[in-house]
């Protein structure tokens, strides 16, 4: 069974940093691209970043480019999102999702990030 | 960026009825490789989104044949037949043809 478990969220002040993790199991992690997708409270889905299976290709939304860094450790079956210079508009539930060809087939339960003073 | 426009914003249906949700993209979703990467997701209350349909009309593993997708180019439709109580939630279309990946704003399905 495919499982994606996010962690690392919490309450953080504006301008500070936070690192999210997503532990994958039930599939060969190193064979799949991965995404971070977020959802602000009461809002829709917003793609944040993608990373290919070997980390060769990385893409970011303009809203986070230069502030967030996606990475992965295939030996640890773990996806990361390093978030710096956090803003109130980054407050959201952050999902990691496995990437199929042009779609996201499995999603984690999400981890909440709240940016507030 | 590809803008995904979903209509309606919400709809209410009786159990056993049928509904259609429209999704339009601001650009063609036909990839250079000939595939069209349009997907549909359902987010049930309090849950993560789940994949229903990929590449316009392919049902994901375990998805009931009551869900069907159609369309091409920039116009796509999700149909749900014989609506059941478990179908309620917010439906999103999403495109994976080009970065940035984008989603529609969602259609909330309520059961009468």
């Amino acid at each position: 069974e495919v499982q994606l478990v996010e962690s690392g969220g919490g309450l953080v002040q504006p301008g500070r940093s936070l690192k999210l993790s997503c532990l994958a199991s039930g599939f060969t992690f190193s064979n799949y691209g991965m995404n971070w997708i977020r959802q602000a409270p009461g809002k829709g889905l917003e793609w944040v970043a993608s990373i290919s299976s070997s980390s060769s290709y990385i893409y970011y939304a303009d809203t986070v480019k230069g502030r967030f860094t996606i990475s992965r450790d295939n030996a640890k079956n773990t996806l990361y999102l390093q978030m710096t210079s956090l803003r109130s508009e980054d407050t959201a539930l952050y999902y990691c999702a496995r990437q199929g060809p042009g779609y996201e087939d499995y999603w984690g339960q999400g981890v909440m990030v709240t940016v507030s003073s | 960026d590809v803008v995904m426009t979903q209509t309606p914003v919400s709809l209410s249906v009786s159990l056993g009825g049928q509904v259609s949700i429209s999704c339009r993209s601001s650009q063609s979703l036909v990839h250079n490789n000939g595939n069209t990467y349009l997907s549909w997701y359902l987010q049930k209350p309090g849950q993560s989104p789940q994949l229903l349909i990929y590449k316009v009309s392919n049902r994901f593993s375990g998805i009931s044949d009551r869900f069907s997708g159609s369309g091409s180019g920039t116009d796509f439709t999700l149909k749900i037949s014989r609506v059941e109580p478990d179908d309620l939630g917010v439906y999103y279309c999403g495109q994976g043809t080009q970065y940035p990946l984008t989603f529609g704003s969602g259609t909330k399905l309520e059961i009468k």
Side-chain angles (χ1 to χ4, degrees):
Chain A
E1 178 193 6
V2 173
Q3 285 198 324
L4 299 168
V5 180
E6 303 94 337
S7 62
L11 174 63
V12 62
Q13 293 179 328
R16 304 298 289 260
S17 300
L18 203 61
K19 187 172 185 176
L20 306 183
S21 300
C22 171
L23 179 62
S25 61
F27 66 101
T28 303
F29 182 69
S30 59
N31 286 350
Y32 288 85
M34 298 293 295
N35 292 328
W36 286 101
I37 295 166
R38 68 185 181 183
Q39 187 170 35
K43 302 297 184 181
L45 303 172
E46 180 189 14
W47 169 77
V48 174
S50 297
I51 186 168
S52 63
S53 57
S54 60
S55 304
S56 297
Y57 300 97
I58 289 176
Y59 304 91
Y60 295 100
D62 285 346
T63 51
V64 307
K65 197 174 295 182
R67 301 187 299 121
F68 290 12
T69 302
I70 188 172
S71 62
R72 63 191 296 159
D73 185 335
N74 286 344
K76 295 183 178 180
N77 289 345
T78 303
L79 174 72
Y80 302 101
L81 185 67
Q82 176 70 56
M83 304 183 293
T84 65
S85 303
L86 282 162
R87 307 166 180 168
S88 58
E89 54 264 38
D90 295 318
T91 294
L93 188 61
Y94 284 73
Y95 296 104
C96 70
R98 192 178 81 167
Q99 197 173 52
Y103 55 84
E104 289 66 57
D105 55 3
Y106 291 96
W107 300 59
Q109 285 304 302
V111 61
M112 189 67 202
V113 172
T114 303
V115 183
S116 175
S117 54
Chain B
D1 297 4
V2 179
V3 177
M4 306 296 287
T5 303
Q6 272 184 252
T7 54
V9 172
S10 64
L11 69 166
S12 183
V13 62
S14 300
L15 294 176
Q18 178 175 294
V19 296
S20 292
I21 300 171
S22 172
C23 178
R24 288 187 172 177
S25 58
S26 61
Q27 304 172 30
S28 172
L29 297 186
V30 180
H31 192 274
N32 290 340
N33 64 14
N35 288 315
T36 301
Y37 295 112
L38 184 283
S39 307
W40 290 95
Y41 305 86
L42 165 60
Q43 187 172 32
K44 298 179 181 179
Q47 296 187 19
S48 309
Q50 61 179 101
L51 177 65
L52 299 175
I53 302 284
Y54 64 95
K55 289 199 290 184
V56 182
S57 60
N58 295 275
R59 277 186 297 276
F60 187 55
S61 175
I63 300 303
S64 168
D65 59 5
R66 297 184 301 103
F67 294 89
S68 63
S70 62
S72 63
T74 60
D75 284 336
F76 305 93
T77 301
L78 175 69
K79 289 185 179 178
I80 312 168
S81 60
R82 306 186 304 279
V83 169
E84 300 180 355
D86 195 45
D87 297 338
L88 73 87
V90 180
Y91 290 79
Y92 295 96
C93 60
Q95 67 83 18
T97 295
Q98 62 175 266
Y99 286 99
L101 307 181
T102 49
F103 297 91
S105 53
T107 296
K108 186 174 184 178
L109 178 64
E110 298 174 324
I111 308 298
K112 287 181 183 176

